[in-house]
């Protein structure tokens, strides 16, 4: 399995790994029910697990555990399910995990596990050398069931979304492919010139064709999509790999959603925008003459393979575009993520977006918070005919407005993004903002920052209008 969209996220690992502590945090972030099988089992048995072990032995315990685990894994609504450390010993539980869950192994080294588990009442943590031997025996079973190996909450959220973030990921692309069908690679001439050869080597004998698309937004047209539809020679088990910025991944994802009524695709984002935003969450689109992103589909990439090392060749102005989304993400998360070194910055921001999108894959609720600053940004971009201002600059300004309306200090936006007011027609910008799909009656709904995180609030028109006016140069 490649991700946990529409599936249970199962957490396995040795005792002392921290499953029961981190599990509820992950469930909360994903907005899913949390099931701790050992705890439920104790409730049902009316006794503690150590006591049950004492009275009935391990064999009887494993039988009880099997019934509970299988019942939980067969629940229809995707949940976060923590399994006891020994549950993977049971073959039928392993089968059920394979069929119904995306399984992550929470890693812990044996010494840490022993320190956390010894001295308590855990029946299998009484003798240190036996404990280490058990660790070694289970290791193989854990590896066999694990779809991903994780160390913390962000790792789990990324794994759940099918997002792989690590330096050198581009070179390991071959090991991240799915199925055994042909692979088509889509890239633009510039990115292809720098990273195309490495990608082709990594794809190896699976690679059947390479398709070049224009650089930047010019790729997102019906004409380019049509050309790809006619060039592709894939079966339903084929796979399309998109290597490039958000424009390349948006177009390719859309083509993958529609070609043969949908084939799998892998995003390999090469810009900051792509790595923290565009390649995550399954929104794909092309532009129409009437406006941006007007034809599209939700089509979750089987994987997003994120290699922060490729950002080394990104021009400074493209990097700044991405920092606007990074500042947005940090403000939403309530942490100065923009201060982190690049690989960690990408990992944390990508994890934040992954969690919100898994919570709300079709943008019917919580995902709206990702629009922080964007209502203003879109109005400014429209008033500038998408020419005098870039999306990143407009988002920087939009964040200023959102912070002001939230009664917050705006220093960070000034320091990190230094957005300059734009010269656009005020009436056009205001008209564009009111047309924004979030407008209701005489009121405007905006994503703002409350005391406990993002909120959607209705603000009177005159307040919104003056916040917009402040972003526009005389
Ligand atoms: N689907 C979503 O959820 C989502 C989210 C945000 C943005 N987007 C879309 O993403 C698009 C913007 O994407 P973008 O900001 O990544 O830019 P882009 O894809 O439009 O352009 C990137 C430019 O940088 C070059 N480039 C890319 N990677 C490079 C590298 N590593 N080294 C050197 N040059 C490199 C490319 O050749 C291209 O010229 C917009 O169309 C936007 O609508 C989509
Ligand atoms: Zn944006």
């Amino acid at each position: 399995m490649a991700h946990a969209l529409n599936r249970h996220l199962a957490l396995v690992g040795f005792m002392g790994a921290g499953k029961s502590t981190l599990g509820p945090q992950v469930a909360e972030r994903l907005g899913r029910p949390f099931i701790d099988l050992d705890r439920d089992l104790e409730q049902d048995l009316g006794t503690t697990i150590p006591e049950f072990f004492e009275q009935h032995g391990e064999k009887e315990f494993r039988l009880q555990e099997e019934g509970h685990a299988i019942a939980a894994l067969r629940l229809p609504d995707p949940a976060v399910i923590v399994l006891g450390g020994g549950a993977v010993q049971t073959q039928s539980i392993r089968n059920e995990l394979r069929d119904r869950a995306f399984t992550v192994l929470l890693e812990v080294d044996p010494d840490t596990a022993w320190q956390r588990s010894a001295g308590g009442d855990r029946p299998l943590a009484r003798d240190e050398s036996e404990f280490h031997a058990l660790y070694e025996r289970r290791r193989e079973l854990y590896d066999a069931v694990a779809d991903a190996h994780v160390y913390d909450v962000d790792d789990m959220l990324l794994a759940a979304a099918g997002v792989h973030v690590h330096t050198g990921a581009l070179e390991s692309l071959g090991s991240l492919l799915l199925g055994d069908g042909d692979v088509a690679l889509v890239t633009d001439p510039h990115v292809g010139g720098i990273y195309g050869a490495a990608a082709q080597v990594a794809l190896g004998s699976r690679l059947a064709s390479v398709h070049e698309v224009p650089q930047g937004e010019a790729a997102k047209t019906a004409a380019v999509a049509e050309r790809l539809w006619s060039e592709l020679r894939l079966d339903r088990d084929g796979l399309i790999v998109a290597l490039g910025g958000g424009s390349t991944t948006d177009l390719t994802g859309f083509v993958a959603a529609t070609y043969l009524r949908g084939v799998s695709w892998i995003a390999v984002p090469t810009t900051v925008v792509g790595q923290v935003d565009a390649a995550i969450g399954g929104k794909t689109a092309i532009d129409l003459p009437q406006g941006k992103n007007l034809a599209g589909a939700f089509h979750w990439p089987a994987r997003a393979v994120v290699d922060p090392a490729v950002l080394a060749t990104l021009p400074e102005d493209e990097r700044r575009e991405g920092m606007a989304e990074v500042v947005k993400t940090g403000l939403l998360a309530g942490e100065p993520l923009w201060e982190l070194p690049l690989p960690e910055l990408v990992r944390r921001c990508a994890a934040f977006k992954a969690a919100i999108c898994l919570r709300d894959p079709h943008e019917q609720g919580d995902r709206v918070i990702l629009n922080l600053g964007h209502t203003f940004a879109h109005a400014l971009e429209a008033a500038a005919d998408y020419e005098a201002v870039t999306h990143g600059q407009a988002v920087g300004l939009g964040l200023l407005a959102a912070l002001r309306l939230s009664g917050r200090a705006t220093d960070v936006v000034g320091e990190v993004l230094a957005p300059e007011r734009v010269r656009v027609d005020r009436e056009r910008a205001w008209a564009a903002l009111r047309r924004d799909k979030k407008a209701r009656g005489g009121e405007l709904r905006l994503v703002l920052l409350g005391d406990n995180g993002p909120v959607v609030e209705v603000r009177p028109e005159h307040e919104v209008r003056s916040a917009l006016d402040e972003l526009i140069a005389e």
Side-chain angles (χ1 to χ4, degrees), residues 188 190 215 217 220 245-247 250 270-271 283 292 310 313:
D188 77 37
H190 184 62
Q215 263 179 268
E217 198 71 25
K220 292 176 59 172
S247 296
D250 266 18
T270 61
T271 60
K283 269 167 75 172
K292 263 178 66 78
V310 304
T313 55

Side-chain angles (χ1 to χ4, degrees), residues 77-101:
D77 291 337
V80 173
I81 303 176
V82 165
L83 285 87
V88 294
Q89 284 170 228
T90 306
Q91 175 73 51
S92 58
I93 296 180
R94 294 203 297 276
N95 295 346
E96 213 67 23
L97 282 172
R98 186 195 56 221
D99 293 344
R100 298 180 190 271

